[in-house]
Amino acid sequence: MRAVLQKVVQASVTVNNKVVGEIGRGVCVLVGISNDDTRDDMEYIAKKIIGIRVFDDAEGNMWKKSTQDLGLEILCVSQFTLYGKTNKGSKPDFHDAMKSDRSRQFFDDFVERLGQLYDRSKIATGEFGAMMQVSLVNDGPVTLELDSRKLAYEKPDPALAAKLAAKAAAKEQRRNGFGQKDKCEGIRH
């Protein structure tokens, strides 16, 4: 499960020129659900959203308070495009996103779980499956990516990175014609 969390002064979702969800100060969260997400993924993201410290404390010290600590609001917007792959061609591939028939219930369960952990009256949503216009005033700006399957950043293996770089350089040289024998070799003039 993935989420893009933005600290906001205010945020709203409009569908067909009608505001369907809006909040004041808090966080706006775009939520992506993958084919293999489970209740564990849901629990991880829900707890992270309410507990992550992106707000100042009363003395102005940064990164000291969470949405839950300050009793702020949350706007959750379902966004399957967070699972779009863009590494091939120019059309995004969304096969890793959970299909609508299952993801609608999963998203509803997620919002319900968020409400159980926090305060349902402080949680607004967009309209699942609709074309939505999301408006927000980002505060900071602070924008964080959350991923239940990527719990820690892993540095790449330097040896593997060097090997891949050498392969890429050799491929580029072949493409540009370098490193090949002179094609005119052996031809008499």
Side-chain angles (χ1 to χ4, degrees), residues 97-169:
M98 188 180 283
K99 305 298 177 248
S100 303
D101 54 335
R102 291 179 42 229
S103 62
R104 178 183 303 269
Q105 185 62 55
F106 197 96
F107 181 76
D108 289 346
D109 292 348
F110 169 73
V111 173
E112 182 179 322
R113 182 62 183 142
L114 201 55
Q116 291 168 352
L117 293 169
Y118 185 44
D119 177 350
R120 182 60 180 101
S121 69
K122 294 183 183 277
I123 302 168
T125 65
E127 184 177 313
F128 188 93
M131 289 299 294
M132 298 176 271
Q133 289 75 50
V134 180
S135 299
L136 58 91
V137 177
N138 198 320
D139 187 13
V142 174
T143 302
L144 300 172
E145 295 177 81
L146 310 175
D147 192 324
S148 62
R149 303 294 174 96
K150 186 177 171 183
L151 304 178
Y153 177 76
E154 295 181 23
K155 292 183 181 179
D157 175 12
L160 178 60
K163 185 177 179 180
L164 292 174
K167 275 186 173 183

Side-chain angles (χ1 to χ4, degrees), residues 20-122:
V20 296
E22 65 183 323
I23 63 168
R25 187 169 177 233
V27 293
C28 178
V29 185
L30 306 176
V31 179
I33 304 167
S34 77
N35 284 322
D36 59 352
D37 279 338
T38 66
R39 295 278 178 191
D40 289 340
D41 298 293
M42 181 188 297
E43 190 76 11
Y44 175 85
I45 294 294
K47 286 180 177 178
K48 192 61 83 170
I49 289 169
I50 62 172
I52 197 156
R53 297 181 302 175
V54 295
F55 296 95
D56 300 353
D57 64 15
E59 291 78 40
N61 297 309
M62 297 175 67
W63 316 107
K64 297 293 184 184
K65 296 291 182 179
S66 69
T67 301
Q68 187 173 35
D69 294 336
L70 298 174
L72 302 177
E73 297 177 296
I74 301 170
L75 175 62
C76 287
V77 181
S78 175
Q79 187 160 357
F80 74 92
T81 60
L82 291 180
Y83 277 96
K85 289 183 182 177
T86 59
N87 54 337
K88 287 187 178 179
S90 56
K91 181 182 176 188
D93 173 358
F94 301 110
H95 286 94
D96 287 344
M98 188 180 283
K99 305 298 177 248
S100 303
D101 54 335
R102 291 179 42 229
S103 62
R104 178 183 303 269
Q105 185 62 55
F106 197 96
F107 181 76
D108 289 346
D109 292 348
F110 169 73
V111 173
E112 182 179 322
R113 182 62 183 142
L114 201 55
Q116 291 168 352
L117 293 169
Y118 185 44
D119 177 350
R120 182 60 180 101
S121 69
K122 294 183 183 277

